[in-house]
Amino acid sequence: MTYARNEYIHGPPSSKITKYTAGVYRNDYTHELLLVPETDLQIRDVAIESARIAVNKVLTEKLNDKFYLEVKAHPHHVLRENKMIFGAHADRLQEGMRRAFGKPIGRAARVEAGDPVFRLLVYGEGLAAGREALELAAKKLPKKYYIIEHQLAQSA
């Protein structure tokens, strides 16, 4: 597994995700929907934030406050870039792969196949809207996703 400890990275960029939860948490939701990737992948923090905003907008319009959304993928991995200059006399400015650690350019979440990116709790009447919102989120994220639906056990 490749990684670089944060102590080695001077000025790691902050995450662009503003909130990790949306809606109102209650104990009596009847259904849980999970947005799960088909393969291992890396998702930029800006993509997760874009998907979160889209899901929140759709659910707020259709379900008001009868949902609870959680972002499960956290962007801990710092992305780096070793900038190269091309053109005339560029050879005097760059060092190739010598000292090629790179400067931080962003953050990403590493997600394994089967681990949820989003978790959504809704009531039975909000299932269609929740599924529609998660399908919209999947279009804003890289690779392919599927939605897992669970019925939550209700305590009597």
Side-chain angles (χ1 to χ4, degrees), residues 8 10 14 16 18 25 35 38 42 56 60-61 80 95 103 108 117 140 146 156:
Y8 295 134
H10 302 292
S14 59
K16 300 283 189 278
T18 55
Y25 183 77
L35 185 67
E38 291 180 358
Q42 193 166 268
N56 192 32
T60 305
E61 285 173 4
R80 303 181 312 271
E95 304 220 346
K103 295 204 172 10
V117 178
K140 294 191 172 285
Y146 58 94

Side-chain angles (χ1 to χ4, degrees), residues 30-108:
T30 57
H31 291 82
E32 175 187 52
L33 299 168
L34 301 172
L35 185 67
V36 179
E38 291 180 358
T39 58
D40 294 357
L41 71 154
Q42 193 166 268
I43 310 171
R44 295 281 303 256
D45 55 349
V46 290
I48 295 172
E49 177 66 3
S50 171
R52 183 197 68 81
I53 290 170
V55 169
N56 192 32
K57 184 176 180 186
V58 169
L59 293 175
T60 305
E61 285 173 4
K62 296 196 174 187
L63 301 180
N64 224 0
D65 64 344
K66 294 186 173 103
F67 72 94
Y68 180 70
L69 176 72
E70 255 185 308
V71 177
K72 299 299 263 180
H74 292 262
H76 294 299
H77 186 71
V78 178
L79 301 173
R80 303 181 312 271
E81 179 182 41
N82 180 29
K83 288 191 178 169
M84 303 290 263
I85 303 168
F86 294 101
H89 303 292
D91 54 323
R92 298 173 197 200
L93 301 172
Q94 66 191 26
E95 304 220 346
M97 290 304 288
R98 184 185 298 156
R99 300 182 60 135
F101 188 71
K103 295 204 172 10
I105 58 167
R107 284 188 176 264

